[in-house]
Amino acid sequence: MVNGMAFLSKLFGKRNKDENDSENINGTAPELDGEDGLTDEEIEAAEKLENELKEEYINATPLDLDGDFIDFESLIDDDDNETDDEEQLDEISETEDSDTLRDVETLYGDEDTSDEDDEDEEKISFWERLKLGLAKTKKALFGSVNDILKNFVRVDEDLLEELEELLIMADIGVSATEEIIDELRDRIRDGRLKEKEQVVDTLKEILSEMIGEHQPLMLDTTPSVLLVIGVNGAGKTTSIGKISKRLRLAGKKVVVAAADTFRAAAIDQLEVWCNRAKVDIVKQQEGSDPAAVVFDAISYAKSKKADVLVIDTAGRLHNKTNLMNELAKINRVIDRELPDAARETLLVLDATTGQNAVIQAKEFGKAASITGITLNKLDGTAKGGIVISIKRELGIPVKFIGVGEKIDDMQEFDAAQFIDALFE
């Protein structure tokens, strides 16, 4: 083909040159002579070759954009399978849309989810969340108990010393630990505890007795008052949102007073949690008098016939005398405006602070009559034994425990359930 193209180039190049350079009045073709001239046989051969090249070009397989020959058979197969490909694409699209929808629901939740569904989910999953939340305490405390028992043949004083050290490290407290060890000694002495296999069951029994029975909130007047106190960072605001939702789901109309007017953005944060819990909030501007906010909230609760008034307070440090005085002022307003109302004062504590939480409780007890503890962040510490220490040293019941950040990650404290979660 290359030689043929060169021949044609010579032929038509010569023709074009002669036609442009010559003018013949009579219209006769110029003679082809000389070195570049072509004979009639050459012209006939060239025309034949030209026709062959044209036919070859027409029948040639075309190239794609990459310079490769196009496979017409594959194109025909693709056309035959076009319907199947479209169906597969539709299936993939539907799957991706469904996955995207699930991701959005996971991130933002479903605002139309009913309260009944929330209750069912909470009942089903909180036990598992509790066990997971107490996993660190379980591993550090009672996992180690099993390790200790493997090293002893019988229950003796050496075993009790090992257990004593372990209980103290779990923040059960020195006094509570001594009481537990003394009880174990008594049971060994009178024959109730003979085999090391009995130690775990005996510990469960003793700890359950120390914690005592569950004591629910006493909110039997309309309205009742729930005053929430605690230092900043303990989870006070989130606890209010979680407890408010629980109360609403129990059929109570709840109003929240945003009396923490000192901390920046505290009011906005509380309002977000109230919206999640679907309860009313009474607020004023940042820096307002907290007692004035409480007064307005009491008036609003009375007008709306609310069942429970939940009062948020500033995150008061136990060494801040002026803040303690402010708390006393709020209590005086409540005494004057709702003298006969049932009242609960919940102290919110951070379980990760260990024995410092006990110190906080003692100091707060000087400014308010604490009726219960809300213990948060049990999922973030290996020192869940603080529950026992608080009850033993302060005589104040733990009424709520938190094992997560979600609005449903809080539950009324149940001693039997708590102990079971530690040992199972």
Side-chain angles (χ1 to χ4, degrees):
M1 180 183 289
V2 175
N3 292 333
M5 292 298 293
F7 181 75
L8 288 176
S9 176
K10 178 180 178 182
L11 170 64
F12 293 110
K14 178 65 176 174
R15 283 183 176 178
N16 292 336
K17 181 177 184 300
D18 293 339
E19 290 174 357
N20 293 333
D21 295 342
S22 303
E23 294 181 2
N24 191 314
I25 299 175
N26 296 325
T28 59
E31 294 183 0
L32 296 177
D33 55 4
E35 185 176 272
D36 294 330
L38 294 173
T39 65
D40 292 338
E41 290 79 6
E42 289 177 329
I43 292 174
E44 183 180 354
E47 289 176 348
K48 181 179 179 181
L49 179 60
E50 179 182 7
N51 292 331
E52 292 176 355
L53 291 175
K54 286 180 179 179
E55 183 179 357
E56 183 178 354
Y57 175 78
I58 292 171
N59 296 327
T61 302
L63 303 176
D64 61 16
L65 294 177
D66 296 327
D68 297 326
F69 290 108
I70 298 175
D71 185 358
F72 284 101
E73 292 183 359
S74 65
L75 292 177
I76 294 173
D77 292 340
D78 288 343
D79 291 338
D80 292 340
N81 295 328
E82 182 177 357
T83 303
D84 294 337
D85 292 341
E86 290 179 353
E87 291 177 355
Q88 291 178 0
L89 288 173
D90 290 341
E91 291 178 1
I92 293 173
S93 178
E94 291 176 1
T95 303
E96 290 177 346
D97 290 343
S98 299
D99 291 341
T100 301
L101 179 59
R102 284 194 293 271
D103 291 341
V104 171
E105 290 176 348
T106 300
L107 288 172
Y108 299 101
D110 185 356
E111 294 182 357
D112 295 330
T113 300
S114 65
D115 292 339
E116 290 76 9
D117 292 340
D118 291 341
E119 284 187 289
D120 292 340
E121 181 180 356
E122 180 181 324
K123 291 176 182 178
I124 294 172
S125 62
F126 186 80
W127 171 245
E128 295 300 325
R129 295 202 300 272
L130 177 61
K131 289 197 293 185
L132 289 174
L134 296 176
K136 293 183 179 180
T137 298
K138 176 182 177 180
K139 181 179 179 180
L141 178 56
F142 297 103
S144 299
V145 169
N146 291 327
D147 292 338
I148 290 174
L149 293 177
K150 294 177 183 178
N151 299 324
F152 288 86
V153 177
R154 58 191 177 86
V155 181
D156 55 18
E157 192 62 32
D158 291 336
L159 174 59
L160 294 182
E161 289 181 2
E162 293 281 349
L163 289 175
E164 183 176 12
E165 180 180 352
L166 187 62
L167 294 173
I168 291 175
M169 291 177 61
D171 251 354
I172 287 180
V174 175
S175 298
T177 298
E178 289 178 351
E179 185 176 332
I180 293 170
I181 298 300
D182 288 342
E183 179 64 23
L184 290 173
R185 285 196 183 99
D186 291 340
R187 298 192 182 202
I188 293 172
R189 191 178 299 114
D190 61 22
R192 286 180 293 167
L193 179 57
K194 297 179 180 180
E195 305 295 332
K196 68 175 186 177
E197 290 77 14
Q198 298 175 292
V199 171
V200 172
D201 289 337
T202 304
L203 275 175
K204 289 178 64 175
E205 183 181 341
I206 294 172
L207 294 176
S208 296
E209 292 174 354
M210 293 184 69
I211 296 176
E213 296 294 329
H214 167 60
Q215 298 183 31
L217 294 175
M218 300 300 295
L219 304 172
D220 51 4
T221 63
T222 303
S224 298
V225 177
L226 179 58
L227 185 67
V228 184
I229 61 179
V231 300
N232 291 333
K236 179 167 53 65
T237 304
T238 57
S239 295
I240 290 174
K242 296 172 182 179
I243 294 172
S244 295
K245 180 182 178 181
R246 293 186 60 84
L247 292 172
R248 181 180 63 80
L249 291 177
K252 295 185 179 294
K253 181 175 177 59
V254 180
V255 174
V256 175
D260 183 359
T261 60
F262 298 140
R263 182 171 64 88
I267 298 173
D268 294 336
Q269 182 185 10
L270 182 62
E271 187 170 15
V272 169
W273 279 95
C274 287
N275 290 336
R276 292 176 183 174
K278 300 178 183 177
V279 298
D280 294 341
I281 182 173
V282 176
K283 61 180 182 177
Q284 292 185 12
Q285 293 183 349
E286 185 177 316
S288 301
D289 182 3
V293 177
V294 173
F295 179 84
D296 289 346
I298 291 174
S299 300
Y300 181 83
K302 288 179 178 178
S303 66
K304 296 296 182 179
K305 294 181 171 54
D307 297 299
V308 183
L309 172 62
V310 182
I311 302 174
D312 185 21
T313 61
R316 307 170 196 284
L317 298 174
H318 56 268
N319 58 352
K320 299 287 185 179
T321 304
N322 58 329
L323 293 179
M324 287 296 184
N325 291 337
E326 189 64 45
L327 179 58
K329 183 179 178 181
I330 290 175
N331 278 318
R332 288 196 296 271
V333 172
I334 299 172
D335 291 338
R336 185 181 67 246
E337 300 299 324
L338 294 172
D340 299 323
R343 291 170 60 175
E344 289 271 1
T345 301
L346 281 184
L347 173 62
V348 179
L349 296 175
D350 181 347
T352 63
T353 61
Q355 287 298 310
N356 188 49
V358 178
I359 296 174
Q360 290 178 21
K362 290 179 179 179
E363 294 299 326
F364 273 103
K366 297 176 182 178
S369 179
I370 301 172
T371 60
I373 301 290
T374 295
L375 194 60
N376 284 332
K377 306 181 185 179
L378 275 171
D379 57 323
T381 180
K383 299 184 176 183
I386 190 65
V387 172
I388 298 148
S389 182
I390 289 172
K391 183 64 169 65
R392 172 62 180 78
E393 296 189 30
L394 303 176
I396 303 174
V398 176
K399 296 198 173 185
F400 292 95
I401 55 173
V403 290
E405 296 298 325
K406 296 181 180 179
I407 197 166
D408 294 323
D409 290 339
M410 174 170 282
Q411 181 70 290
E412 292 183 1
F413 179 71
D414 184 296
Q417 191 181 56
F418 177 80
I419 297 298
D420 286 342
L422 287 176
F423 281 89
E424 289 186 2

